[in-house]
Each structure stands twice: as structure tokens, then as C-alpha cells.
Amino acid sequence: MPTSNHTASVLVVDDEPDLRTLYELTLLREGHAVVAAPDLAQAREWLAQQRFDVLISDMRLPDGLGLDLLRELAEAQRPEKSIVITAYGSAENAVESLKAGAFDYLTKPVDLKQLRSAVTAALQSQRQGMAASIQGTVAGAASASASSAPDAARKGPLITNGASSLQRIVGASSSIVQIKARIEKVASSMAPVLILGESGTGKELVARAVHDCSHRSTGPFVAVNCGAIPENLIEAEFFGARKGAYTGATTDRDGYFQAARGGTLFLDEIGDLPLAMQAKLLRVIQERRVRALGGVQEEAVDVRLVSATHRDLNALVQAGQFRQDLFYRLNVIGLRTPALRERRDDLPQLVQALLARLCAESGQTVPALSPRAMAWLQARELPGNVRELENLLQRALALSNGNALEPEDFGESEDTQEVPTQPDPLTPAAGTPATPARPPEDIPADLQTYLDEQERRVLLKALRECDFNRTAAAARLGLNLRQMRYRIQRLGIAMPSSDDEDAT
């Protein structure tokens, strides 16, 4: 039986007496104080008499929907954390309950272990929110009373993981302030989060902040790039594999879902997930159970899903390349990371933060940035966003000889030579037949040769701008690394060296 600091008051609302009794007994054994109601009317009576820590409600009741109760609690700004139970395991019901303010949902037949875990998680989230509120009040009072104290005595309380993660999202523009506020708001729920944004805008930083601000912050944060896993291994990577499941599987091993147990699973570039795997992921989200490759029995999983992509998922759904039901399941809460061109005022602050981090990693003294250098950065389009800005600053630190960074340190003159306005004819790789010159006509004589030539020029330009880093160039072009390698090989593009591993 749990200790008294885990004891909570729980209201269970279900019209089936056997199930109501089962839930009640399960929670009583955990040391919680439980009150049961068979319908909305009696539940409202109990709620009018007292406050509860957790509300567990069936979706369909004799006199209405459990969602009605959730909406009433939200309108009244009640503190109860709500868990919805439904026998109708469709994506629409689960998504609707989470959007109505439910902390979590369970499907019938309810796994009692999952029920206990859901209640424990709801209590942790509620008490973490209360502690943060109290800490903020105390910190404010301490700051005010210590305003005249020496600097050494005014350092304030220790920064929490959540606050530290939010600080790493640098900027004071309205879009950044808004996304930070939304992160704090959605972190307390178990609802899946979908982060949309261009490459290099900090989607993983946002995902990490959602995790660190949640009650799961002490659990693991497992980040997965869906576009970087070979298709024939993706199921084993996600769900684990049993010994002998495939050639080379000499022992049992866990997958990402098992590794993220009790924490957050971040699925980056979810738009690159193959259709066959999308169907399997949807089932895991609905059932909250996985079966390892080569396994017989399913096991319950306890993870919060956060996914991200730079691609237009709505367009992929329309094109039949992404499942609509999976899209609805992932897009319960949407966050959007703004492009750098939408928050130009944050550029000086971003530059200082990036320089401080880069110099700390390399043991250098942080140099100043001359007004000319800042003007040079402000004039650039920076389509690669913060990732491109970091790349430029890293280059400038390597090339700089003084105490201040100047435009010349960013390789401006070299860029002009590397990317001419009219590119010279490209030299084919060794062993590749030379491309015949195209006649100066509006319509090419050989369309495929013409298209290959244009694609080769674009790829080489991106590679040069990214110092022949294939991973960075692929991100600039909206490709994954496998697609980039295929095009480099098909078009016969010679790389500077064969041992380039695209370290990122």
C-alpha cells in the first residue's frame, strides 16, 4: 500500500455496477479515498459538495456524456485531473476527450495496472503544478526581500529542469513568448503533441521542454529520427525484438517504446514514416500495448508521444502518403516553431546564446560581434534558420584571428566564389560520362539530361553552402539523408573525401 503522501480523493463515474466496484476496490487498495456515482446527476452532486484530486468517468452515461462533465469542470476552473474511460476505442472519442481537457484516457476492457498508473501520473502532474505555483510565489517574495542584499546572496532558487529547458528556447518575440506559454500549459497533460516547423527552427528543443515541464521530467526522453531508420529494421527498433526474430538477433532487446517507459518518446520527422509502419503505430497509440518482433504476448507501454515534422502533413494525407486517422491521433495539441525570418528581432540574442555555447564547448573566449558582422547576418535570408546561423558562427569562430568577429570571418568572399551567379559546367565524377552540352533552345533536346543537370547544380550548391555536410544539405532541401546519398550517387557528384560522415 502506498504511503500517505500518495493518498488522494477520487470520484469514479460509471453506470456499470461491476466495473464501478472493480475500479473502486482497485483504488482503495492503493490507499485512495474513493467515491462512486452511477450517472452525471449524482456526480454533479458530489462535485458540488467537495473537491477531488482525480475524476474517472465513463464516456457514455445514462443521462449524457462524460465529456459534458469535463467541459463543466474546465469552465468552472476546477482543479480535478480527469481520466476518461470508453468502450468505443475510436480515434475521434479519444482525441475529443483530450481536447476537452482530459488528462488521459483508457479503453475498455481497462487494464488495472494502466488505471493505477494513470491515477498516479495525474496526481504527480497536479502536485507538480501546485509546487511550481508555490515556488513561484516564494521565489518572488524572496527576490523582493533580498533586493538590497549582496550579489552572492541574491542568486535565488535553483532553476528547475522545465525552467532551464524554456530558457534554452532563446528569444523575446511574441511568437517565442507564445510558444513557451503553450508549452507550460500542455505539459501537464498526457495528450499527444505535434510540432510543426521548418528545418532548423528548434523542434527538438520544444519537445524537450514539453518533457521537462511535465510530471514525466524524471523519466527518459527518447528522441528518434523516423527518416533515418532502414525500413526493414523499423519495427524492431520501435517495438523491440525477441531472440531469433531475424538474422543476427542473438538476444532479446527493447525498442524505443520500452526505452521511453515512464517518460516521453519524441518521433522526429514523423512524415517520413512508411505507411505500413504508420498502421502499426496507430494501433499502439490506441491500445497502448506493443508486441515485440518475434514475440507472442503484448506488453503495456507507458509513454507520452511528441512528434515533429517539417513537412505538410495535411498535403501528405491528401496525397495518400500519410494516414488520416494517425494524423488526428498525433495532432491533439499542435505547436508551431517560427522560422527565423518571422522573428528577426531575436537575431542578436540568438547570436550571443549560440556564441556562448560554441565557445564553452571549444574552450574559447567569447568574441564580440562587430556592427558590420551583425549587419551582414541581418542581411542574409538564412533559409536554414537557427541551424544555418549556428553553422555560420562556427565557421567564423574557426576563421577569426581577432577579438571581434567581422564579415570576412564568415567566409563571405569564399561564398561568392563557391556559388557564382551563373554556375560553371560541373565536372562529372570519375568514371561518369560527360553530359553533352545542351543547345541554347527554350525546349531541351533531352529532357532527362536537362533535369539531371539542374538537379545536380542545386545539390552541389547546397552542399557547398553547407561545407559538403550531406546531413545539413539534405535538411536545406527538405530531404532525408538516404535520399541525399541516393541523389549524390545517381548524379555522380564527387565529394571532397570519401570519409565524410556528416557529423552533426
Side-chain angles (χ1 to χ4, degrees):
M1 182 173 290
T3 56
S4 59
N5 64 331
H6 290 88
T7 301
S9 57
V10 183
L11 173 60
V12 176
V13 188
D14 198 306
D15 59 324
E16 298 184 46
D18 292 345
L19 290 177
R20 196 166 63 243
T21 302
L22 178 63
Y23 303 152
E24 189 174 359
L25 290 173
T26 300
L27 296 174
L28 284 170
R29 289 194 187 102
E30 293 295 300
H32 302 309
V34 185
V35 173
D39 52 34
L40 290 178
Q42 192 167 334
R44 290 186 178 111
E45 290 179 9
W46 278 112
L47 287 166
Q49 294 175 28
Q50 68 179 86
R51 292 188 179 275
F52 295 89
D53 295 306
V54 180
L55 165 69
I56 301 173
S57 177
D58 194 5
M59 173 71 82
R60 297 184 179 272
L61 296 162
D63 51 350
L65 295 174
L67 292 180
D68 297 336
L69 206 56
L70 266 64
R71 295 189 181 102
E72 290 170 15
L73 294 177
E75 289 173 5
Q77 297 184 339
R78 298 268 304 209
E80 288 87 356
K81 293 289 183 181
S82 303
I83 298 170
V84 174
I85 298 176
T86 175
Y88 307 88
S90 68
E92 291 78 8
N93 282 324
V95 170
E96 191 178 1
S97 64
L98 292 169
K99 287 187 173 179
F103 171 78
D104 205 351
Y105 71 92
L106 299 170
T107 54
K108 292 181 181 178
V110 173
D111 184 315
L112 296 181
K113 184 177 179 181
Q114 288 186 343
L115 175 65
R116 290 191 290 267
S117 296
V119 171
T120 301
L123 291 171
Q124 288 176 347
S125 175
Q126 185 184 64
R127 288 165 182 170
Q128 184 183 40
M130 292 172 61
S133 176
I134 293 170
Q135 184 181 20
T137 303
V138 172
S143 176
S145 63
S147 58
S148 59
D151 288 346
R154 289 194 280 132
K155 293 185 179 179
L158 292 174
I159 297 175
T160 63
N161 286 343
S164 178
S165 287
L166 290 173
Q167 285 181 357
R168 286 196 288 270
I169 303 174
V170 177
S173 60
S174 59
S175 57
I176 292 298
V177 172
Q178 184 178 2
I179 198 170
K180 286 184 177 182
R182 193 157 171 79
I183 287 170
E184 290 185 286
K185 185 175 182 181
V186 306
S188 62
S189 167
M190 279 289 290
V193 176
L194 177 63
I195 306 168
L196 302 176
E198 297 178 12
S199 293
T201 52
K203 295 187 289 294
E204 185 166 345
L205 272 181
V206 171
R208 169 67 75 171
V210 170
H211 170 75
D212 286 342
C213 290
S214 75
H215 63 282
R216 293 176 165 259
S217 58
T218 55
F221 176 84
V222 178
V224 180
N225 187 332
C226 297
I229 307 172
E231 193 165 343
N232 61 328
L233 294 178
I234 196 165
E235 185 175 353
E237 293 293 320
F238 270 64
F239 307 140
R242 295 289 170 259
K243 180 180 178 180
Y246 57 87
T247 304
T250 56
T251 58
D252 291 352
R253 70 182 185 88
D254 288 341
Y256 298 131
F257 273 90
Q258 291 92 343
R261 186 179 289 111
T264 301
L265 180 59
F266 174 50
L267 301 180
D268 198 7
E269 298 305 340
I270 189 72
D272 293 336
L273 202 64
L275 273 170
M277 189 61 192
Q278 291 177 28
K280 294 172 182 176
L281 177 60
L282 176 66
R283 186 180 184 280
V284 171
I285 295 173
Q286 291 179 168
E287 304 297 330
R288 299 196 177 183
R289 306 183 73 83
V290 298
R291 179 185 288 114
L293 190 65
V296 176
Q297 293 185 336
E298 292 184 332
E299 58 179 306
V301 292
D302 174 27
V303 301
R304 186 190 190 171
L305 275 182
V306 178
S307 49
T309 183
H310 71 281
R311 306 180 70 181
D312 184 347
L313 289 187
N314 276 309
L316 293 180
V317 168
Q318 294 300 320
Q321 297 175 15
F322 201 85
R323 292 181 63 107
Q324 187 176 47
D325 45 7
L326 178 60
F327 173 65
Y328 288 145
R329 261 296 165 83
L330 297 174
N331 193 32
V332 176
I333 296 173
L335 296 175
R336 179 181 170 275
T337 53
L340 196 50
R341 63 180 175 276
E342 299 172 14
R343 54 183 191 112
R344 281 289 182 175
D345 292 344
D346 288 337
L347 192 60
Q349 196 175 349
L350 278 167
V351 168
Q352 292 304 318
L354 288 170
L355 282 176
R357 180 168 63 79
L358 291 170
C359 290
E361 291 172 354
S362 61
Q364 295 176 253
T365 302
V366 180
L369 192 74
S370 73
R372 287 178 59 240
M374 179 57 73
W376 185 85
L377 286 173
Q378 291 279 14
R380 288 185 70 97
E381 291 185 6
L382 297 172
N385 296 296
V386 179
R387 187 178 294 132
E388 181 178 356
L389 177 63
E390 181 178 1
N391 183 282
L392 287 169
L393 292 171
Q394 200 164 19
R395 182 195 305 176
L397 287 171
L399 297 177
S400 174
N401 293 319
N403 295 323
L405 300 182
E406 299 291 344
E408 295 77 17
D409 297 325
F410 291 92
E412 186 174 16
S413 58
E414 287 82 351
D415 285 347
T416 306
Q417 294 172 5
E418 286 181 6
V419 190
T421 305
Q422 297 295 331
D424 295 329
L426 301 173
T427 304
T432 304
T435 304
R438 181 173 59 83
E441 301 172 357
D442 292 335
I443 299 177
D446 185 338
L447 179 60
Q448 188 58 54
T449 300
Y450 172 77
L451 292 175
D452 286 350
E453 181 183 345
Q454 301 307 308
E455 185 177 3
R456 190 183 291 111
R457 287 178 176 173
V458 171
L459 260 66
L460 192 59
K461 180 178 178 180
L463 285 164
R464 282 172 171 165
E465 289 185 356
C466 296
D467 296 329
F468 283 88
N469 184 306
R470 288 172 292 186
T471 303
R476 288 283 300 274
L477 297 171
L479 304 173
N480 59 44
L481 186 56
R482 286 179 297 173
Q483 294 168 329
M484 191 68 176
R485 285 173 173 160
Y486 166 75
R487 282 168 169 77
I488 289 172
Q489 183 179 10
R490 182 176 68 82
L491 298 171
I493 296 175
M495 299 295 288
S497 62
S498 60
D499 58 349
D500 178 18
E501 294 298 332
D502 307 305
T504 56

